Amino acid sequence: MAVPAALKKISATIWELPVSYKAGMLVPARIIADERLINAMDAGVFEQAANVACLPGIQKYSYCMPDGHWGYGFPIGGVAAIDPATGVISPGGIGFDINCGMRLVLTNLVEEEVRPRLRELVDALFQRVPAGVGSHGFVKLSHDEFCRVAEMGSRWCLKHGYGWPEDLELTEEGGCFAGADATKVSQRAIERGYNQIGTLGSGNHYLEIQVARPENIFDGETARTFGITRPNQVVIMFHCGSRGFGHQIATDYLQRFLAVMTSKYGITMHDRELACAPFRSPEGQDYFAAMKCAVNMAFANRQVILHRIREVFSDLFHRDPDDLGMGMVYDVAHNTAKLETHLVDGKRRQLLVHRKGATRSFGPGQEGIPERYRETGQPVIIGGSMETGSYLLAGEPGGTDTFFTTAHGSGRTMSRHQAKRMVKGQKLQRDMEERGIYVRTASWGGLAEEAGFAYKDIDAVAEATELAGLSRRVARLRPIGNVKG
DNA sequence: ATGTTC
């Protein structure tokens, strides 16, 4: 795949399309990648990153992270920091799966203790954490109570016994974006979401048992601060979002924005998938308040799933979850828009930072990260493919260039359809088991779509973020068991 | 990603 001729190399990890690349660009578009990743980059990324650079109010650069690929409007991996006073909010810059995110949980068990019980463990998790399209959770809620979940996020879970107080401290924004307003959410969204708390979903959503091998620790001191203290320690990583609830909110507001964008606000974009409305408009503010409901629902979803995981481990190992050391490392979103203060040309300014398949990555000493991580920087959780592994990173001071944002995962290299043509789910499961990874799935086709060969090299992505100064590698985590949505 | 084309 050829890169555009106009693409300029700024440094070993920064590539830029100037404003002359496309009519209407207000700022240049920058892609973070090493030479190999940029040459393999999905061509759609260049066009989409340039389109994003046309959004009213965008500051400095439109960014795409090294795991970037073609998405709806924005690339997956896209970042846009927009002036809230003069600029827009765009659902395509957040994604359909609002607050899709990652949670990493510790245990004090080691691989040697878990291996003999692995099948039992994964089977129990598969049974107790509902997965797959249309799955329903065990938490039974009225529509009214669900609206409270949407406004309170993880705080609702604590109040109802699904979690530990420190879980909130170890979740981005304490597990609740302030200002969520359920009256801005359609009945249809509530209808789709109210029975989905505590469910994994489908696609690339998963729950994984992983091992931190000594040879895969890059930064031992930070690993210890993050709770990884023993050789071959077992951890649990999972990836999911706001299910049908967030999807419906995104769908509702995309339609509403399209109806007013040009006629009422005089905004035209290259791509109707970049539907947007002025942030300070009634439409923009309504979407912002509704989006926060989906953000909070997703935090609550992951919180209830954690509760279930602790129950499963406790039942199987006949010890209390706290005795098993099942505290969180962190929970971090990768599909949101948030008002944050950043330095722009030496001035502190409030910006609306859209991150779509991109992770907030605050550096050491910054406000907004847990006290215990003040010196190390924020934990960043990057999910790789279920065959290859994942990364725990830490935020770095160099993140200032990307509004403290880093990658979120491997990024697909081929379509789901293409992957499914190359391998059957049943065969993949057998192959993986031979290699020591026991996987259960709600869908054979869905499993095939997630084959390792359909994803970029996670090692290259993590390394590129480190070379770019956005985040540093702390530990590479190897999967041994996987529940696939 | 998604009651996978209300």
Side-chain angles (χ1 to χ4, degrees):
Chain A
M1 226 167 293
V3 302
L7 190 75
K8 209 166 69 182
K9 183 174 182 172
I10 304 294
S11 73
T13 52
I14 301 174
W15 307 78
E16 181 174 300
L17 290 168
V19 291
S20 57
Y21 179 66
K22 192 179 263 200
M25 284 175 70
L26 301 170
V27 295
R30 284 191 161 187
I31 294 141
I32 309 293
D34 64 18
E35 191 108 25
R36 193 157 62 90
L37 287 165
I38 199 80
N39 285 322
M41 195 63 72
D42 184 346
V45 163
F46 301 110
E47 295 320 305
Q48 291 192 316
N51 291 342
V52 170
C54 304
L55 284 168
I58 190 166
Q59 301 296 306
K60 299 300 288 184
Y61 303 100
S62 150
Y63 277 105
C64 186
M65 295 296 119
D67 51 337
H69 56 108
W70 181 86
Y72 183 94
F74 273 59
I76 317 285
V79 182
I82 292 182
D83 176 4
T86 61
V88 296
I89 185 166
S90 175
I94 293 154
F96 277 88
D97 190 8
I98 297 165
N99 190 5
C100 190
M102 307 293 305
R103 187 173 286 217
L104 185 63
V105 183
L106 298 164
T107 73
N108 55 24
L109 300 166
V110 294
E111 183 175 7
E112 294 72 16
E113 295 169 280
V114 171
R115 273 274 173 209
R117 312 291 302 275
L118 185 63
R119 286 185 77 97
E120 259 179 292
L121 182 61
V122 172
D123 287 345
L125 288 166
F126 182 68
Q127 195 183 10
R128 301 270 290 167
V129 181
V133 177
S135 51
H136 296 170
F138 73 99
V139 181
K140 300 296 174 213
L141 298 175
S142 66
H143 285 197
D144 280 355
E145 193 64 14
F146 176 72
C147 288
R148 261 169 242 138
V149 179
E151 292 179 346
M152 293 172 67
S154 296
R155 283 164 42 211
W156 181 93
C157 303
L158 262 287
K159 222 174 112 187
H160 291 79
Y162 303 118
W164 303 347
E166 74 158 31
D167 297 344
L168 296 195
E169 183 200 329
L170 297 172
T171 304
E172 181 176 352
E173 295 293 307
C176 180
F177 276 24
D181 180 354
T183 67
K184 304 302 182 188
V185 171
S186 69
Q187 279 307 307
R188 195 171 183 185
I190 293 166
E191 186 57 46
R192 283 181 71 173
Y194 82 101
N195 60 8
Q196 292 185 318
I197 294 287
T199 65
L200 212 46
S202 63
N204 69 348
H205 288 162
Y206 62 85
L207 188 174
E208 204 161 76
I209 312 293
Q210 303 172 337
V211 175
R213 300 236 166 108
E215 66 269 28
N216 291 333
I217 304 290
F218 293 83
D219 173 351
E221 201 177 320
T222 303
R224 276 191 295 280
T225 303
F226 288 174
I228 296 176
T229 56
R230 52 189 83 194
N232 299 330
Q233 188 170 338
V234 169
V235 297
I236 306 133
M237 180 180 286
F238 59 101
H239 175 220
C240 63
S242 52
R243 309 281 284 105
F245 183 59
H247 189 275
Q248 190 60 47
I249 288 168
T251 304
D252 291 340
Y253 279 93
L254 276 165
Q255 278 179 12
R256 191 165 159 206
F257 281 16
L258 272 173
V260 295
M261 177 168 76
T262 307
S263 60
K264 187 170 171 187
Y265 296 113
I267 301 167
T268 54
M269 297 300 301
H270 287 290
D271 181 354
R272 55 183 274 118
E273 292 183 359
L274 282 172
C276 59
F279 180 66
R280 297 292 183 210
S281 69
E283 294 84 358
Q285 288 296 297
D286 285 358
Y287 171 63
F288 196 45
M291 181 211 73
K292 288 172 175 175
C293 287
V295 165
N296 292 341
M297 185 276 190
F299 281 138
N301 189 24
R302 294 197 286 273
Q303 185 60 46
V304 168
I305 289 173
L306 170 56
H307 175 77
R308 284 295 248 209
I309 294 169
R310 284 175 176 152
E311 284 183 348
V312 167
F313 272 76
S314 183
D315 287 351
L316 213 75
F317 291 98
H318 306 293
R319 286 160 64 189
D320 286 343
D322 59 340
D323 186 45
L324 287 166
M326 295 185 73
M328 286 172 56
V329 177
Y330 204 54
D331 177 308
V332 66
H334 50 233
N335 281 6
T336 63
K338 219 162 58 173
L339 286 169
E340 293 173 353
T341 303
H342 290 276
L343 270 182
V344 181
D345 301 327
K347 277 196 221 148
R348 285 168 64 81
R349 290 184 51 196
Q350 192 187 48
L351 299 173
L352 180 68
V353 183
H354 294 66
R355 297 188 178 95
K356 195 253 197 83
T359 311
R360 191 193 75 172
S361 177
F362 282 174
Q366 271 186 268
E367 293 287 320
I369 61 178
E371 193 59 45
R372 65 177 81 173
Y373 302 143
R374 267 312 148 77
E375 314 233 312
T376 57
Q378 178 208 303
V380 171
I381 306 159
I382 303 238
S385 85
M386 61 187 181
E387 293 190 78
T388 49
S390 298
Y391 273 86
L392 178 58
L393 313 175
E396 283 275 87
T400 183
D401 289 343
T402 57
F403 309 100
F404 289 100
T405 307
T406 190
H408 86 304
S410 288
R412 293 196 77 86
T413 56
M414 67 175 72
S415 72
R416 296 183 167 279
H417 188 73
Q418 206 178 340
K420 243 187 318 203
R421 274 201 316 254
M422 290 175 65
V423 70
K424 288 276 166 274
Q426 289 91 330
K427 178 172 164 29
L428 184 59
Q429 186 201 37
R430 286 194 300 272
D431 291 351
M432 285 176 65
E433 197 167 354
E434 273 173 31
R435 294 202 307 274
I437 308 168
Y438 178 59
V439 55
R440 289 291 307 267
T441 179
S443 152
W444 291 118
L447 185 70
E449 293 173 356
E450 296 303 315
F453 58 71
Y455 282 90
K456 292 187 199 204
D457 179 354
I458 188 74
D459 299 310
V461 169
E463 196 177 344
T465 73
E466 186 171 286
L467 284 172
L470 306 182
S471 44
R472 70 180 185 281
R473 291 171 293 182
V474 175
R476 189 187 199 281
L477 302 167
R478 280 184 55 102
I480 60 170
N482 181 298
V483 173
K484 157 76 193 66

